[in-house]
């Protein structure tokens, strides 16, 4: 005869698999509240979070994130903790807007994906998180690049352009347009006068040393 906690767990998983999320969550709550020493407790907690993740929508994803974070807090040593953190990273990545829109999810994505690599560097989920992180950083870098070029080209505000572009190339060296950003940075310093010759030369030197395949070399 199957144990009652296993019966509840299997029933909940079947409901979740068939899109009956609320019913599945009620069953999982019954399991967790009734059998607090069950071997299925951790799996039930993770499945509860997964049900919100699968349900989707802004509310569902917010609930899923809260539940995943709770799972990591309770079971930090389990491999599933790395999976939970990678799913938080993935949720922010999936909600990320283009670089000319609100960067909130991109910034959260950078933070959460980096957390996978810091907390679970040897996990099998780390390579996917690293890929998400690179794509998130490309969006964030491009957002800074758009602002920097706006100050440089449209406003002629070269100190403001230099400030944004310098921060960009320092923080996101893997940005696909980093060499172009450095050229605009050098030009901004050039237009700011002789006091900024060293900074201008430094930007040109970085193009040559770090981006040898660039057309600007």
């Amino acid at each position: 005869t199957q144990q009652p906690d296993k019966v509840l767990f299997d029933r909940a998983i079947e409901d979740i698999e068939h899109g009956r999320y609320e019913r599945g969550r009620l069953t999982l709550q019954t399991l967790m509240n009734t059998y607090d020493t069950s071997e299925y407790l951790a799996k039930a907690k993770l499945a509860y979070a997964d049900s919100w993740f699968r349900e989707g929508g802004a509310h569902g994803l917010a609930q899923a994130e809260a539940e995943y974070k709770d799972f990591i807090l309770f079971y930090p040593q389990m491999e599933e903790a790395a999976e939970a953190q990678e799913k938080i990273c993935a949720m922010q990545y999936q909600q990320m807007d283009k670089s000319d829109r609100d960067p909130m999810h991109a910034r959260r994505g950078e933070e959460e994906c980096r957390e996978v690599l810091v907390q679970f560097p040897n996990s099998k989920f780390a390579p996917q998180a690293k890929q998400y992180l690179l794509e998130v950083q490309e969006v964030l870098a491009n957002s800074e690049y758009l602002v920097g070029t706006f100050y440089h080209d449209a406003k002629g505000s070269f100190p403001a352009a230099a400030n944004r572009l310098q921060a960009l190339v320092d923080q996101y060296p893997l940005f696909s347009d980093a060499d172009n950003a450095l050229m605009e940075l050098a030009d901004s310093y050039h237009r700011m006068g002789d006091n900024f010759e060293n900074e201008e030369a430094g930007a040109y030197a970085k193009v040559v040393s770090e981006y040898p395949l660039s057309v600007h070399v």
Side-chain angles (χ1 to χ4, degrees), residues 169 173-174 178-179 182 202 204-214 217:
V169 297
L174 298 179
D179 57 334
L182 282 163
Y204 286 134
K206 206 165 189 178
V207 174
V208 174
S209 64
E210 297 189 16
Y211 306 97
L213 301 179
S214 168
V217 167

Side-chain angles (χ1 to χ4, degrees), residues 160-172 181-182 185-186 189 199-200 202-203 206:
N163 186 50
R164 297 305 282 260
L165 294 167
Q166 185 70 64
L168 159 61
V169 297
D170 289 345
Q171 192 171 357
Y172 302 113
L182 282 163
L185 175 61
Y189 283 134
E199 288 83 356
E200 179 187 354
K206 206 165 189 178

Side-chain angles (χ1 to χ4, degrees), residues 9 13 28 39-48 71 78:
F9 181 76
I13 293 302
L28 289 170
E39 64 179 297
Y40 293 96
L41 202 60
K43 289 181 180 180
K45 197 165 184 59
L46 190 62
Y48 191 86
F71 179 87
M78 291 183 68

